[in-house]
Amino acid sequence: MWVGSPVTFSPKKTIQHWHSEAVNYTYSTMSCLRMCGHYTQVVWAESYKVGCAVQTCSAVKDSPTTGSVIIFVCNYGKAGNRKGAPPYKEGAACSACQGDECQSNLCRDSKREEMKSYSWTPDWEIDVSSSPSSPRTAFWLGALSTLFLLCQL
């Protein structure tokens, strides 16, 4: 999650800022000098789908900032940042692709690329319309509802 001024907000700059937390992360000990949770999620090897939402709020509860703010939230599938697990396997880029193509130093599954559409969901996701009370449905809807809970109307 990112909260800040509408003047300074840019999705690209925000994600680059999250990635810049790499300087605080030590792979060999899986520890952070300061904040690095955004970085480890952005580079989490098993994540391949991301959804982000942005909301402008006139004010944010308990925020030192006055005036309108932007709240930017991203949700990843598969989620990462599991305690005690490294975000990726150390080694050369694409060395663990296991039959997938290597494009721009990332593993690409051609089957997934063929299925890509706005209505596609992987097997491990549950359709909201068929199971609105599912924990996975609640997880995905939780990121979006966070935006609205933080905004004061």
Side-chain angles (χ1 to χ4, degrees):
M1 181 184 326
W2 180 91
V3 178
S5 165
V7 175
T8 62
F9 176 70
S10 155
K12 182 177 180 177
K13 286 181 184 177
T14 300
I15 293 168
Q16 286 173 336
H17 176 74
W18 290 343
H19 189 272
S20 73
E21 292 176 359
V23 298
N24 299 321
Y25 182 70
T26 304
Y27 184 87
S28 61
T29 60
M30 291 185 289
S31 61
C32 294
L33 177 61
R34 296 178 22 198
M35 182 165 307
C36 67
H38 300 104
Y39 164 73
T40 54
Q41 178 57 81
V42 166
V43 300
W44 199 265
E46 294 175 359
S47 295
Y48 64 91
K49 183 176 179 180
V50 62
C52 298
V54 63
Q55 177 70 39
T56 302
C57 302
S58 57
V60 175
K61 186 177 182 177
D62 301 326
S63 172
T65 306
T66 58
S68 65
V69 296
I70 295 284
I71 300 175
F72 181 65
V73 177
C74 294
N75 213 347
Y76 297 80
K78 299 179 176 178
N81 284 339
R82 290 188 304 276
K83 187 174 177 123
Y88 50 83
K89 291 180 182 177
E90 195 170 28
C94 296
S95 60
C97 286
Q98 299 177 351
D100 292 348
E101 296 175 32
C102 183
Q103 295 177 355
S104 303
N105 292 328
L106 296 171
C107 299
R108 298 278 186 205
D109 180 342
S110 59
K111 290 178 185 173
R112 185 177 300 138
E113 293 297 319
E114 291 171 12
M115 296 188 311
K116 191 184 283 183
S117 75
Y118 291 106
S119 63
W120 175 79
T121 55
D123 294 339
W124 51 265
E125 284 188 2
I126 295 177
D127 182 7
V128 175
S129 61
S130 66
S131 184
S133 61
S134 153
R136 287 184 177 155
T137 299
F139 172 78
W140 287 104
L141 294 177
L144 297 176
S145 64
T146 298
L147 292 174
F148 301 107
L149 293 174
L150 291 172
C151 289
Q152 291 179 344
L153 300 178

